[in-house]
Amino acid sequence: MESLKFDLAATPLREVNQYLHSPASELNGKHVVIHNPNGAHNIAVGLKSDVQVTIDGHAGYYAAGMNQLANVVVTGSAGTGVAENMMSGVVHVKGFASNAAGATAQGGLLIIDGDAGLRCGISLKGADIVVGGSVGSFSAFMAQAGNLVVLGDAGEALGDSLYEARLFVRGEVKSLGADCEEKPMDDEARQILVDLLAKSGHADVSPDSFKLFGSARTLYNFHVDNAGAY
Amino acid sequence: MSDTPKTPQTQPRFSATFDPYTLSEIRRAAATGIYDIRGAGAKRKLPHFDDLLFLGASVSRYPLEGYREKCGTDVVLGTRFAKKPIHLKTPVTIAGMSFGALSGPAKEALGRGASAVGTSTTTGDGGMTPEERGQSSILVYQYLPSRYGMNPDDLRKADAIEVVIGQGAKPGGGGMLLGQKISDRVAKMRCLPKGVDQRSACRHPDWTGPDDLEIKIAELREITDWEKPIYVKVGATRPYFDVTLAVKAGADVVVLDGMQGGTAATQEVFIEHVGIPTLAAIRPAVQALQDMGMHRKVQLIVSGGIRNGADVAKALALGADAVAIGTAALVALGDNDPRLESEYQALGTTAGAYDDWHEGKDPAGITTQDPELMKRLDPVKAGRRLANYLAVMTMEAQVIARACGKSHLHNLEPEDLVALTVESAAMAKVPLAGTSWIPGQVQY
């Protein structure tokens, strides 16, 4: 694989992102390594080709935001909104992720080896997120579709006002949000979990150690008797 | 036969506080147990542009010939940072309205009408439809808290991006689209189960506060290679501070929506009791831009109750660069038309007052997803009506500007205006007609 290196300590972010927006015919199959990210925001946002990008260090806000097709690895930790609104591809954070990881993501796979902060998977719209550690409060708030797998614990109000996303949690759930309830793990859900564990480097983890949570669907249509739940 | 005089009776007296509307709302609330939801903006009487008058030219000012001398109307939006600013032939734009709230033909008609006169239209919650992109020569893509239908490919297809923080009808509130309007297509675009009551978030999911907004705007610029103008839309509440923060966060354009600005569906109590009138919002917003040295560098679009060329001219005279219309554009398409009176009556209302847009039963085929009702709106004819209306508004504004001796609408200024009421004088910061008195300003 052809490899190309950028040093963010010497090259402006604009130049790096502009290169990463080159036509797919120029980028497909290439490996781009970005050194010295030092927490810069908006690294590798808006990618739309089958390129491999390694951010060698810590990234700031919105790393790999709105990703399409690309495979982005952050070797350190990522700030708020990593892979927000991702459409496809894979984003892998080897450290920790801050708040709103994978917010509104519609497709692709976000892997976080460490913990994720508040609101992980907020308004999730179809992507898959696998968190090796724990997730903070209000994770999967209003999540509409997709899957959130948490190998650790979940904070308060997990899945509040959930639509049709599936939430798999291996550890403790501090509390469930409004309209989120535990569901029986059917064969379809179990297979989704098995596949996601395999894709995210956790093939050795038993799917039987997870609980599944989903929407109770009582808030789908407003009724005054449910006013206290809002 | 008795001649005892009959005691005179006083007439039945209705309370000004408990007026018939208030009484009916109490009875409705008691019967249903749920607040009233409706479309449109504030309907109460508010200080507005009608409370201002222009001072035409006379001995001390020199007018322009109405049919001979040029009066420019064009405006360029996004000159601060964007590589590709937007050039509009008229400063009257179409405000953001969603596919979902509006039918596909209605969105198409808005695009046709706006394109015909060289102005922009705007998407809404739920994303961009091909019909809308196809018919809109200049399309602004709204980036909303819910991110329903938010797609980076559409972001790149847009001519500008509008980060929506709030709107005048419900500053601080999220969107709402009731189940009746979540058709198969709307459900698919928004990734929701069909028929659910869709609740849009009131806050963006991945940023909080102005410092984060600056990073978010930078992200949108990076994704679009700094080509597109980035607007920030706020509902009018604290315009001085909101405009200041939006500009500091890097906005190219600020959109300021007063409480008369419409909504597809919001609680009546929210529409009528949260936010401030458009008239009260403009001068603090302009002052904020002037204090930063950014007036005319960051453009200001004002919306909320704009109805005619006089309103356009007044908004521009107070310092706006352009205006946006929503409710008025729907009326031009055919909303609330008296020819549909019998159908409005069947819905328990009357032409001119119909605002249950959330129910999806619009006889005009505009605020509906019902396939049969939608067919009633011919997007070509409706687009033509909108184009006519936009042209009239522009010409009306020119008439006034020429009378004030201005060769471009943007040359109108507060000094061309006086106020009819103390309230409007204070809000617009122009003198009460016939006096030099501007309430709240110290005369030195």
Side-chain angles (χ1 to χ4, degrees), chain B residues 26-329:
Chain B
I26 292 171
R27 284 189 284 270
R28 192 207 58 77
T32 65
I34 186 170
Y35 38 57
D36 186 25
I37 295 172
R38 68 169 175 85
K43 290 188 168 185
R44 63 159 76 203
K45 176 81 175 161
L46 292 165
H48 198 41
F49 294 117
D50 288 339
D51 299 320
L52 302 180
L53 295 172
F54 279 100
L55 300 174
S58 181
V59 179
S60 62
R61 297 285 190 282
Y62 206 70
L64 297 185
E65 288 289 353
Y67 293 97
R68 295 185 187 85
E69 291 180 295
K70 186 172 173 56
C71 177
T73 63
D74 61 307
V75 59
V76 184
L77 303 173
T79 52
R80 185 186 187 191
F81 290 124
K83 287 183 195 168
K84 296 182 178 175
I86 284 177
H87 295 253
L88 304 180
K89 289 180 182 170
T90 171
V92 187
T93 68
I94 305 299
M97 289 175 275
S98 77
F99 167 72
L102 300 189
S103 66
K107 288 297 284 179
E108 181 184 335
L110 291 174
R112 286 178 178 276
S115 300
V117 299
T119 192
S120 61
T121 185
T122 311
T123 66
D125 226 349
M128 182 190 291
T129 64
E131 302 99 300
E132 183 175 31
R133 177 64 276 190
Q135 296 300 335
S136 302
S137 57
I138 304 169
L139 182 59
V140 182
Y141 188 50
Q142 284 198 331
Y143 186 73
L144 292 125
S146 72
R147 312 276 167 86
Y148 289 129
M150 175 31 234
N151 185 322
D153 289 332
D154 292 337
L155 205 64
R156 294 183 194 102
K157 281 181 208 160
D159 299 293
I161 299 162
E162 182 171 296
V163 179
V164 179
I165 295 169
Q167 66 185 93
K170 48 180 173 182
M176 187 184 292
L177 195 66
L178 298 190
Q180 301 93 308
K181 292 173 83 169
I182 306 290
S183 65
D184 286 327
R185 187 178 181 199
V186 173
K188 189 177 175 199
M189 282 180 72
R190 299 185 188 213
C191 190
L192 287 167
K194 186 182 178 187
V196 303
D197 292 346
Q198 172 244 287
R199 297 153 285 163
S200 296
C202 65
R203 297 190 302 270
H204 281 263
D206 55 356
W207 62 270
T208 51
D211 294 336
D212 286 4
L213 174 59
E214 183 174 354
I215 304 169
K216 174 54 70 177
I217 289 175
E219 184 202 12
L220 296 169
R221 291 199 191 281
E222 284 295 323
I223 288 173
T224 55
D225 294 328
W226 289 71
E227 289 183 352
K228 324 278 183 193
I230 309 269
Y231 301 8
V232 171
K233 178 175 181 177
V234 295
T237 53
R238 301 173 184 86
Y240 183 87
F241 299 106
D242 289 339
V243 169
T244 299
L245 292 171
V247 172
K248 286 189 171 173
D252 289 307
V253 175
V254 177
V255 182
L256 179 67
D257 192 25
M259 70 185 290
Q260 299 100 318
T263 171
T266 298
Q267 298 92 337
E268 153 92 7
V269 70
F270 206 147
I271 297 171
E272 295 288 354
H273 297 277
V274 183
I276 64 172
T278 305
L279 186 68
I282 301 176
R283 291 308 293 272
V286 172
Q287 188 67 53
L289 293 170
Q290 289 170 335
D291 287 352
M292 288 183 284
M294 299 304 279
H295 190 219
R296 305 297 188 206
K297 295 176 184 166
V298 168
Q299 287 78 37
L300 177 68
I301 301 177
V302 166
S303 56
I306 304 285
R307 306 152 298 175
N308 52 45
D311 291 351
V312 176
K314 290 168 185 174
L316 266 52
L318 293 177
D321 294 276
V323 301
I325 61 167
T327 304

Side-chain angles (χ1 to χ4, degrees), chain A residues 62 84 106 144 220 222 224, chain B residues 33 150 190 197 206 219 225:
Chain A
Y62 310 131
E84 63 88 14
Q106 297 182 36
Q144 297 168 230
Y220 272 18
F222 187 87
V224 67
Chain B
M150 175 31 234
R190 299 185 188 213
D197 292 346
D206 55 356
E219 184 202 12
D225 294 328

